[in-house]
Amino acid sequence: MTKAQRRLWMKYALRGVGGNDNHARLDLAYSVQDPWNMESELERARFEATNGLIEREFGRVGSVLELGCGEGHQTGFLARLSDQQHGIDVSPQAIERARRRVPAAQFAATDIFGQPWGGQARRFDLVTACEVLYYLGDPAATLERMRHLGRCGLVTFFAPAARRVGAHVDSVRGIRKDWFHHGGTAWLVGWWRDD
């Protein structure tokens, strides 16, 4: 699929998705392989930057819960610095591909409120939501659930989304922030520790 075809497909598939938990449309996006172009140099640079920050701030991580894991592209990177990987995505199609990509990880087609690995406080060493918050109807509730489930947390989002999700991230107690850059693209990253 060419870049133009992928862009056109995603424009169609994601119509009405932003900020409203439209799981059916997000799953529709995965009717094609790698709809988000996660195998691109741009995304690999973001994955590497995320891993670098995790390693610097948290060291090796025992268990990680990845929200919006998609087809497992970033999960493969997170596996380099964690002992156990758990990934959730609302798209069953994406989850099937993630299971093939990272067979040692555990995946479920659900959201953070339905994840099947236990709801006890501090269940995971790290909970991540990379490029996810702007698709959610209630980012504040998701961040609160992340804090409940994880000893530490990390979020990234594309800089133009700061207006929509920035205030929610800023309200996280103890939040620390920085920027990732690659070419002309910038992402804001926020992280916290509760342990």
Side-chain angles (χ1 to χ4, degrees):
M1 175 177 279
T2 69
K3 188 175 182 178
Q5 289 171 322
R6 179 181 283 116
R7 188 175 303 131
L8 185 62
W9 169 252
M10 291 302 279
K11 186 175 181 178
Y12 166 74
L14 297 180
R15 190 174 314 154
V17 168
N20 68 9
D21 296 315
N22 192 333
H23 298 177
R25 294 299 285 198
L26 286 166
D27 188 47
L28 179 64
Y30 286 99
S31 296
V32 300
Q33 292 280 332
D34 192 16
W36 305 99
N37 200 23
M38 291 294 171
E39 294 183 359
S40 69
E41 178 185 332
L42 178 71
E43 295 299 336
R44 283 192 312 272
R46 180 174 61 82
F47 300 157
E48 291 288 358
T50 302
N51 271 22
L53 189 141
I54 291 170
E55 191 167 30
R56 182 182 79 231
E57 296 296 326
F58 308 117
R60 182 150 186 93
V61 177
S63 61
V64 62
L65 173 62
E66 178 187 8
L67 281 61
C69 66
E71 297 169 318
H73 292 89
Q74 189 160 14
T75 314
F77 280 77
L78 293 171
R80 297 177 186 174
L81 46 75
S82 61
D83 299 327
Q84 300 172 12
Q85 303 81 45
H86 301 79
I88 56 174
D89 199 284
V90 297
S91 169
Q93 294 180 90
I95 289 299
E96 285 308 310
R97 293 180 195 142
R99 287 180 175 136
R100 288 191 297 270
R101 182 179 305 280
V102 190
Q106 297 180 48
F107 294 101
T110 188
D111 63 16
I112 192 169
F113 302 100
Q115 65 81 25
W117 300 294
Q120 69 269 25
R122 312 295 186 257
R123 164 68 178 85
F124 301 96
D125 294 313
L126 176 65
V127 180
T128 69
C130 298
E131 307 309 300
V132 173
L133 293 178
Y134 21 76
Y135 298 110
L136 305 175
D138 192 348
T142 297
L143 288 164
E144 183 179 313
R145 187 69 174 156
M146 289 175 70
R147 286 199 87 153
H148 173 78
L149 290 172
R151 290 179 177 87
C152 303
L154 179 139
V155 298
T156 66
F157 53 91
F158 186 53
R163 268 191 263 166
R164 163 129 170 73
V165 299
H168 299 292
V169 173
D170 288 344
S171 71
V172 173
R173 187 182 74 253
I175 192 75
R176 296 178 59 199
K177 296 186 293 188
D178 203 348
W179 291 94
F180 295 154
H181 296 90
H182 183 76
T185 303
W187 299 270
L188 185 61
V189 57
W191 69 96
W192 62 89
R193 306 184 71 100
D194 286 334
D195 56 352

